[in-house]
Amino acid sequence: MGNEAAALQHEPARAGVIEATVVDAGDGARAVVRVVRPGAPGVEGAAASARIAVPGYRSTTGDRVLVAAHATGSELYIVGVLLAARGPVLQTAEGATASLEGSTIAIRDGEGALAVTYDAATGAARVAAPAGDLTLAAPRGKVVVDAATDVELRARRDVRHRAARRVASEAGEGGEPGLVVERAAVRVAAPAVDVTADRASLHATEATVLAERIATTAAQIAATAGRMEIQAERLIERARDVYREVDGLLQIRAGRARSLIREAYQLVSERTRLVSKKETSIDGERVLLG
């Protein structure tokens, strides 16, 4: 820093004060300035970093300031402002400011962090709460966020939707909400619903599925129930092998029963009883008894 201060000391000046232009606004405590040479418009002088010594001043690129060197020549200070590029500044007792910075209107908190900006050149605006919460409230009306393209919500922790009555999500114009969340029910309505997960669980006291067609494909299915009932007009089962194990009674009640076996049919039991109210027929090339 000593070399920069020494370089500026050789610039033409009156009473040790040099006129300069801010070329880099810096971090709020310091700024980079370039000397303005008297009588030589357009000729750039030396550039150096200077400490801001004007209470309440926040540098902006293009500001015309007065710079003075410390008696030791090791430090530069901005000691005055001739022309602020960002225009007049409104400041509260707590240090918050509202100012015009080029084509941008800016509101800053007491630490100098941007809270609200509006760029008249681009039409872009930004609202932030640098050190606290941000609340949009309409105690007697509704809040509408309208965007020509997309709306994006980002959070480093959680995103929560809360409504006294219901939360509804709708895609498209003039349609019914595809997702409705109420205190007593959640409804999803769409031409197609796709769910992909490594693991999925459903816990319910009662569950009902209504569909014209259900197709299930799985490498393995395990079903456990205290009682299972199946009602169908026609039940078709196809498998390579079927194993059924019943500890108690296996009972089949049917109007008719027929078994078509391509090869061997084997019945093994400790006792076998065959009862017919009318005739019993056994037909085969050979009938072996005993």
Side-chain angles (χ1 to χ4, degrees), residues 8 23 61 81 94 237 268:
L8 286 183
V23 295
T61 300
V81 181
E94 294 76 15
E237 294 179 329
V268 179

Side-chain angles (χ1 to χ4, degrees), residues 10 20 44 72 78 96 110 161 212 215 244 262 273 283 285:
H10 291 87
E44 294 184 348
T72 62
I78 296 177
H161 296 269
E212 294 184 0
R244 286 180 178 164
R262 286 196 300 265
R273 182 183 181 188
D283 188 3
E285 292 183 359

